[in-house]
Amino acid sequence: MSLGAFAGTVAITGIAAAVALPAGIGAGVWLAEYAPEDGPGGLVRSFVGHMIAVPSVVYGLAGAALLGGLGGTVAAAGVTLGVLGLPLVVVATEQAVREVPDAFRQSARALGATRHQVVTGVVVPASGRRIAAGALLALVRCAGETAPLLLLGAALAPGDSGFAALPTHLYALASGPSAGAGAGIAVGLVLIVLAVHVLAARLRLAGRWA
Amino acid sequence: MTRERLVEGALLASAVATVAALGSVIAVVAWQGGRALLGLGALDPAALAGLRWGDGDLGLLAPLAGTTLVTAAAIALCLPFGYAAAVWLAFFARPGWQEPVRTGVGALAGIPSVVFGFVGVVWLAPLLEEAFGLPDGRVALNGAVLVALMAWPTVVVRGEAALRDVPAVQLDSAIALGATRFRGVTAVVVPAAWRGLAMAGVLGLVRALGDTMVVLMATGVATGPGGLLAPARTLTETVAAELPGADPAQRDALFAIGLLVLVVTYGLHVTATRRTGVLR
């Protein structure tokens, strides 16, 4: 079951990445480079920022209601976790893009670049490592989420219908008679989180401007 | 010009899609949860106690009391250690230590809650059974300790940021007037940063309120709160445990619980970030 659970988590995280990264990075760049400071830009910024505080179980409820037709599938879990990760990606991207020194933009404009050339050719590449760091942290958070998967019909026992994933597998083991059997998965999850956090910290450091 | 429009249009579309996706989360929980609350007629305690979601139909008030108990205990445990660590990181840690410690604190915040729940079941529960002579160590205190640990990084990170926002000249002046560094920090910087420190605590509270897996795994099964050494049932735990297999009316009631959690966490986050003006 562990191997299937690992495959499930990889698939779910992959779908979550496909949902969260394009929209999240795009929205983050828009907020940093195009959105007016107040008015719609400010509203979007604060709404997305506050959605980070909303617990995962609420996202799970929404997923269960809206994606009920896909109940018990990796697709429903991946899309729900993608939406959960979306605000994290947006906020990290906006911050990374804002940290690019204005001298970069002004120099590019002075050399004749158009506004979109400045964004796609200078600003986004310059903030790429920090955007990647934020995206990695968002995805590892998605990979470890458990509560939404319980609401979306994760399989908890061998023979259950529904998808398997590492966090729900750990939950099922810990709720069973031999709870200690989950130790391997628990240690594995912690090591994955540590590795991704160290990698993200190095990326952030490498992408630093000041 | 068309390519200009294309890039800006694609970015704007991403922002619209983001808002639509997140907005639909709020809309659907508000719709289904609101339906259950409106169905009660009056929103007084007696009606809320009658909210039916299965497993003995305990209403809204029992899990609300459980959440209050576990969260209050967790915050009481978390804040002293969180503020102490924030002060140490901001003023007393050696420069070479700061970055690794920050990464470690961040990684602790990133450890999935199911792992904390696992620790509660296999390690903390037997410890509490021995210490207090309990038949089962899966009690409110177990969850509170682990939730405190989960909320701790938030308080450290936000608290440190609040302390660093105080202009350095204040500490320097205190030291120039003869205060020790410790005295300058505790008597001048900490009071000057109190608002930011309070908001760090509120953000820790938001984190504690939202936890589901620790309280599902480590606080046992209960019908109502019975103190720190008794099992507890919380709002989030109820949603996760009861939704699979609930009938339509019970589903709506669970969405009402989810709506309550959504409104409280979102509202607290709005207050905590408005006062300090920072969203991260």
Side-chain angles (χ1 to χ4, degrees), chain A residues 23 26-27 30 34 47 49-50 53-55 57 61-62 65 91 95 114-116 144 146 150-151 167 171 174 179 182-183 194 197, chain B residues 4 7-8 11-12 14-15 18 28 32 106-107 112 114 118 122 210 212-213 216-217 239 244 255 261-262 265-266 269-270 273 280:
Chain A
W30 181 78
Y34 289 92
F47 173 57
H50 295 318
V54 171
V57 70
L61 275 175
V91 170
Q95 207 186 18
T114 63
R115 198 167 174 209
H116 93 261
T146 319
L150 295 179
L151 300 186
Y171 166 66
L194 283 179
H197 274 257
Chain B
E4 288 287 302
V7 172
E8 184 170 355
L11 294 175
L12 179 62
S14 323
T18 297
V28 72
Q32 282 200 230
V114 67
F118 175 76
V122 302
T212 306
M213 293 315 295
L216 181 61
M217 297 165 77
V239 173
F255 273 82
V261 174
L262 168 66
T265 50
Y266 194 100
H269 197 257
V270 169
T273 49
R280 266 185 72 85

Side-chain angles (χ1 to χ4, degrees), chain A residues 22-27 29-30 34 44-66 83-84 86-88 90-92 95 114-117 119-120 140-141 144-147 150-151 167-168 170-171 174-175 179-186 189-190 193-194 197-198 201 204-205, chain B residues 3-5 7-8 10-26 28-29 32 99 103-104 106-115 117-118 121-122 138 203 206-207 209-213 216-217 236-237 239-241 243-244 251 254-259 261-262 265-266 269-271 273-274 279-280:
Chain A
I25 292 174
V29 173
W30 181 78
Y34 289 92
V44 171
R45 183 175 297 117
S46 59
F47 173 57
V48 172
H50 295 318
M51 285 305 285
I52 291 181
V54 171
S56 61
V57 70
V58 174
Y59 285 89
L61 275 175
L66 292 173
V83 175
L84 175 101
L86 200 47
L88 297 168
V90 174
V91 170
Q95 207 186 18
T114 63
R115 198 167 174 209
H116 93 261
Q117 285 170 332
V119 171
T120 57
V140 79
R141 159 96 196 271
E145 277 299 342
T146 319
L150 295 179
L151 300 186
T168 44
L170 174 58
Y171 166 66
S175 314
I185 298 178
L189 282 173
V190 170
V193 168
L194 283 179
H197 274 257
V198 169
R204 284 180 60 80
L205 220 55
Chain B
R3 285 194 63 178
E4 288 287 302
R5 289 266 166 84
V7 172
E8 184 170 355
L11 294 175
L12 179 62
S14 323
V16 170
T18 297
V19 171
L22 296 175
S24 68
V25 169
I26 292 194
V28 72
V29 174
Q32 282 200 230
E99 238 1 270
T103 304
L108 180 66
I111 290 175
S113 58
V114 67
V115 173
F118 175 76
V121 172
V122 302
R138 285 177 285 186
L203 291 171
V206 171
R207 175 103 162 100
L209 276 173
D211 166 70
T212 306
M213 293 315 295
L216 181 61
M217 297 165 77
T236 50
E237 168 191 6
V239 173
L243 193 81
R251 267 178 85 91
L254 292 166
F255 273 82
I257 295 179
L259 178 60
V261 174
L262 168 66
T265 50
Y266 194 100
H269 197 257
V270 169
T271 1
T273 49
R274 174 170 295 159
L279 267 175
R280 266 185 72 85

Side-chain angles (χ1 to χ4, degrees), chain A residues 27-131:
Chain A
V29 173
W30 181 78
L31 278 174
E33 293 290 321
Y34 289 92
E37 272 306 312
D38 19 72
L43 281 177
V44 171
R45 183 175 297 117
S46 59
F47 173 57
V48 172
H50 295 318
M51 285 305 285
I52 291 181
V54 171
S56 61
V57 70
V58 174
Y59 285 89
L61 275 175
L66 292 173
L67 307 168
L70 302 168
T73 64
V74 165
V79 172
T80 303
L81 293 187
V83 175
L84 175 101
L86 200 47
L88 297 168
V89 177
V90 174
V91 170
T93 302
E94 186 189 356
Q95 207 186 18
V97 171
R98 280 185 187 275
E99 278 164 4
V100 175
D102 264 341
F104 282 41
R105 298 179 183 85
Q106 288 153 2
S107 308
R109 287 306 289 259
L111 289 169
T114 63
R115 198 167 174 209
H116 93 261
Q117 285 170 332
V118 172
V119 171
T120 57
V122 176
V123 173
V124 170
S127 51
R129 280 190 274 217
R130 294 209 137 191
I131 294 176

Side-chain angles (χ1 to χ4, degrees), chain B residues 96-110:
Chain B
W97 280 74
Q98 290 178 350
E99 238 1 270
V101 170
R102 279 199 203 104
T103 304
V105 171
L108 180 66

